[in-house]
Amino acid sequence: MSALDMEHPRYKALPKQPSIQRFFGSAPVSVAIYLIVIGMIVYGSFAGARNMGYNWQWYRIPDYIYTFTDDGFQWGEIAYGLVATLNLSFTAFVFATLLGLLIALLRLSDLIVGNAVALGFLELIRNIPLLVLLYLFYYVLGPVFGFDRYTASILTLGVFHAALISEILRAGINAVAIGQWEAAKSIGMSQGQIYRYIILPQSIRFMLPPMTGEVVHLIKSSAIVSVIAVAELTTVGRNIISDTYMSFEIWFTIAIVYMAVTLTLSVGVTYLERRYAVDH
Amino acid sequence: MTKNAPIIEAASLDKFYGSFHALKDVDLTVHQGEKMVICGPSGSGKSTLIRCFNGLEWHNSGQLVIDSIEVHQNAKEIRALRQEVGMVFQQFNLFPHLTVLENLTIGPVKVRKISKDKAEKTARNYLDRVHIPEQADKYPAQLSGGQQQRVAIARSLCMEPRIMLFDEPTSALDPEMINEVLDVMVELAETGMTMVVVTHEMGFARKVADTMVFMEGGRIVEVSPPEKFFTDPASDRCRLFLNQILEH
């Protein structure tokens, strides 16, 4: 027997959604509208390109990803660029997380100086554009401390994202109930032990979703180091274009490669979250 | 009961939260092996007082000596003190990411530096004592409230403390689970543990208390043995309070 008698007068109290809203809200119509809009954008750009007399050369693109020559299989420039981007992003991420954790702990501490240092760092970094920060590290601090391009890039990305990551970590740490601190203190744990064994393990699930967003953000913002000619995906794209003038094909390809990486990452982490969403 | 040496001595404690005067000139002595029950209306400072006893709150003035260590905010010995003073909370505060057994061993292993095997043996022993040996490998969320609170008691006992503090240990429990927790506390009392219990469970108080304390508005209004406390309290406010909670 069905639990609810939907014919009963009290269920009629809810006004029906206007039919126009129901029409546009239904799944097939939404998808159709979405496809039409995307189609118009793609068509528009291709039509525009045709009017410019643009000479499409998509057939040349695969060679920049990989080739089969007499010597066998070889990765192309874009593939090497991707590896360089991943390498750069990973190194910067590790640095940013360590620095971010330090900043977060300083802000959460009772030390007045620590608090001031952390807050000063946050405000400084958050209020300087990433590009200007990169110029500072490369053109100003670079000569002073002897950073090469690569080091300057890592430092820029690391420092910039450390500020954002520290806020994620702080929020995650604060999300753990205060009672956990009290229970851990009352069995005599030190501050360090409380963080390590009690608070951080519980904060991870609060941090994972925003941290994924942050990694995606970092991979995308790593493109900015192409302005100081660090060899990575975007720089490779620029170099190929200056040789071949295939700007449309190359920029589409580069965009798709970034998307493929970041989407894989997001989907992967969503899977992890589901898998480790234990009910405790 | 013949009085042993004092283990908690509070003299003219004052505590402020901003401008709110939470503890007003509190004097209290707990002797070794004594069972003290503190009651009073909410906001009377009972929880604040026992939270001072293991350094979760700091008094602003006065003197507090526990187990011959003077407690104040900069005391280096505070961690050593907390190992000797167990605390059971209203909300259990078990570590949700650890199993019951891990909840019990993490203190002894990480703080007291006892070997894991030995700590597990002790932990299983205390799980027996609180009547839930079969729950060792479960996570706290899989247990009922009463079971969680008994695990919390066992967690404190695993540190082999000399004093046990209970901050309204049964207030967050469903009625049918209150007794299983109180039974464990009565058994603990019979072992001679020094206990300071904030509770409104007057049946429990009558059964185990050596001393009853009534607090109101941050002050200690009455300290007396239970025989006198329940039949002939000295203050009117205490009598009124007892009437209110014992009426039905």
Side-chain angles (χ1 to χ4, degrees):
Chain A
M1 196 190 103
S2 95
L4 292 178
D5 174 13
M6 296 308 284
E7 296 304 311
H8 192 279
R10 66 190 160 129
Y11 292 111
K12 303 238 166 105
L14 264 181
K16 261 189 181 171
Q17 225 180 356
S19 56
I20 186 140
Q21 270 186 27
R22 271 186 296 147
F23 175 75
F24 282 108
S26 71
V29 177
S30 311
V31 172
I33 293 173
Y34 178 76
L35 287 178
I36 289 169
V37 171
I38 295 292
M40 279 162 66
I41 293 170
V42 171
Y43 176 78
S45 43
F46 276 79
R50 196 172 54 232
N51 292 342
M52 285 167 57
Y54 189 83
N55 176 24
W56 292 98
Q57 304 175 62
W58 279 111
Y59 66 91
R60 293 177 61 186
I61 295 300
D63 284 357
Y64 290 104
I65 299 171
Y66 64 91
T67 47
F68 271 111
T69 59
D70 296 340
D71 306 331
F73 182 86
Q74 276 188 325
W75 285 111
E77 282 178 63
I78 291 181
Y80 282 111
L82 173 61
V83 171
T85 286
L86 293 179
N87 198 338
L88 180 72
S89 304
F90 180 77
T91 316
F93 177 70
V94 171
F95 174 54
T97 306
L98 294 178
L99 186 59
L101 184 61
L102 178 71
I103 301 295
L105 293 181
L106 278 179
R107 268 205 81 179
L108 289 164
S109 74
D110 300 330
L111 306 168
I112 295 169
V113 178
N115 255 304
V117 168
L119 210 62
F121 173 83
L122 276 178
E123 292 308 327
L124 187 72
I125 300 304
R126 280 200 296 213
N127 292 298
I128 299 176
L130 181 55
L131 184 58
V132 175
L133 204 61
L134 180 65
Y135 287 153
L136 277 174
F137 269 100
Y138 185 56
Y139 292 113
V140 180
L141 300 179
V144 175
F145 294 102
F147 301 149
D148 59 13
R149 302 162 192 277
Y150 186 73
T151 315
S153 307
I154 298 278
L155 288 177
T156 307
L157 291 171
V159 163
F160 184 76
H161 287 275
L164 306 172
I165 286 174
S166 81
E167 289 295 272
I168 293 174
L169 298 180
R170 195 168 67 99
I173 288 168
N174 280 337
V176 176
I178 187 86
Q180 293 291 308
W181 281 97
E182 296 185 344
K185 273 186 203 167
S186 71
I187 53 173
M189 282 192 169
S190 67
Q191 190 90 344
Q193 288 174 324
I194 298 176
Y195 271 120
R196 186 167 156 206
Y197 300 116
I198 307 300
I199 303 300
L200 288 179
Q202 293 185 62
S203 316
I204 302 247
R205 70 196 162 107
F206 299 113
M207 296 170 181
L208 208 50
M211 277 300 251
T212 315
E214 198 50 42
V215 174
V216 167
H217 183 189
L218 195 154
I219 291 174
K220 291 186 297 179
S221 62
S222 74
I224 206 165
V225 306
S226 65
V227 301
I228 57 168
V230 170
E232 49 72 71
L233 193 51
T234 305
T235 311
V236 166
R238 281 163 54 133
N239 292 346
I240 299 174
I241 291 165
S242 61
D243 289 345
T244 63
Y245 300 103
M246 296 192 297
S247 37
F248 283 34
E249 296 90 329
I250 293 293
W251 286 134
F252 273 127
T253 310
I254 299 287
I256 288 166
V257 172
Y258 275 113
M259 264 182 71
V261 171
T262 52
L263 279 178
T264 312
L265 199 73
S266 307
V267 172
V269 173
T270 311
Y271 170 78
L272 275 185
E273 270 168 37
R274 286 217 192 110
R275 191 149 164 224
Y276 291 105
V278 207
D279 58 334
H280 50 73
Chain B
M1 148 188 162
T2 53
K3 294 261 160 128
N4 295 323
I7 193 162
I8 301 178
E9 290 176 280
S12 14
L13 290 191
D14 276 281
K15 166 78 187 168
F16 294 88
Y17 292 110
S19 61
F20 178 68
H21 202 165
L23 291 180
K24 294 174 188 161
D25 196 24
V26 168
D27 291 298
L28 192 67
T29 305
V30 184
H31 299 86
Q32 264 175 39
E34 187 172 359
K35 282 77 179 140
M36 179 179 281
V37 170
I38 305 178
C39 61
S42 62
S44 59
K46 335 174 274 287
S47 290
T48 306
L49 180 62
I50 72 162
R51 286 162 62 86
C52 285
F53 291 168
N54 74 341
L56 287 178
E57 305 284 353
W58 307 105
H59 53 281
N60 300 107
S61 66
Q63 204 187 24
L64 178 59
V65 177
I66 295 176
D67 202 12
S68 56
I69 296 173
E70 181 170 0
V71 182
H72 55 86
Q73 187 152 6
N74 297 318
K76 286 205 181 80
E77 308 92 337
I78 192 68
R79 281 181 51 213
L81 173 72
R82 283 177 180 150
Q83 295 173 33
E84 306 302 327
V85 184
M87 176 87 157
V88 175
F89 300 89
Q90 184 176 352
Q91 299 294 340
F92 330 138
N93 296 344
L94 292 176
F95 305 130
H97 59 303
L98 303 177
T99 63
V100 166
L101 197 62
E102 289 165 341
N103 264 279
L104 300 196
T105 54
I106 191 161
V109 171
K110 301 298 178 194
V111 179
R112 286 225 194 262
K113 311 287 181 201
I114 287 168
S115 79
K116 211 174 163 212
D117 288 343
K118 207 171 155 212
E120 281 194 8
K121 218 174 138 217
T122 315
R124 289 188 190 278
N125 177 26
Y126 279 114
L127 278 181
D128 272 340
R129 291 253 305 262
V130 300
H131 314 300
I132 36 175
E134 72 287 356
Q135 310 288 2
D137 297 316
K138 290 202 180 153
Y139 284 93
Q142 295 168 294
L143 306 184
S144 72
Q147 291 172 327
Q148 289 192 43
Q149 192 60 299
R150 285 185 280 154
V151 172
I153 293 172
R155 175 176 66 184
S156 289
L157 292 176
C158 280
M159 291 299 289
E160 312 277 4
R162 305 190 52 199
I163 306 169
M164 284 286 285
L165 308 174
F166 295 82
D167 188 2
E168 306 208 22
T170 56
S171 301
L173 293 174
D174 291 333
E176 76 271 20
M177 295 172 181
I178 289 177
N179 279 333
E180 64 189 54
V181 172
L182 292 179
D183 287 347
V184 164
M185 289 167 63
V186 171
E187 288 165 25
L188 180 63
E190 285 161 1
T191 66
M193 175 70 76
T194 308
M195 291 165 71
V196 181
V197 185
V198 171
T199 186
H200 292 154
E201 296 293 335
M202 290 302 135
F204 167 81
R206 265 185 238 247
K207 208 180 287 178
V208 306
D210 300 313
T211 312
M212 295 296 302
V213 175
F214 177 72
M215 287 183 76
E216 190 180 47
R219 280 181 209 286
I220 290 188
V221 177
E222 174 145 1
V223 180
S224 53
E227 313 82 74
K228 178 163 164 37
F229 186 85
F230 287 111
T231 52
D232 181 27
S235 68
D236 292 339
R237 277 183 295 182
C238 183
R239 186 171 299 128
L240 192 66
F241 176 77
L242 284 174
N243 282 343
Q244 278 167 347
I245 63 169
L246 296 176
E247 220 157 46
H248 46 91

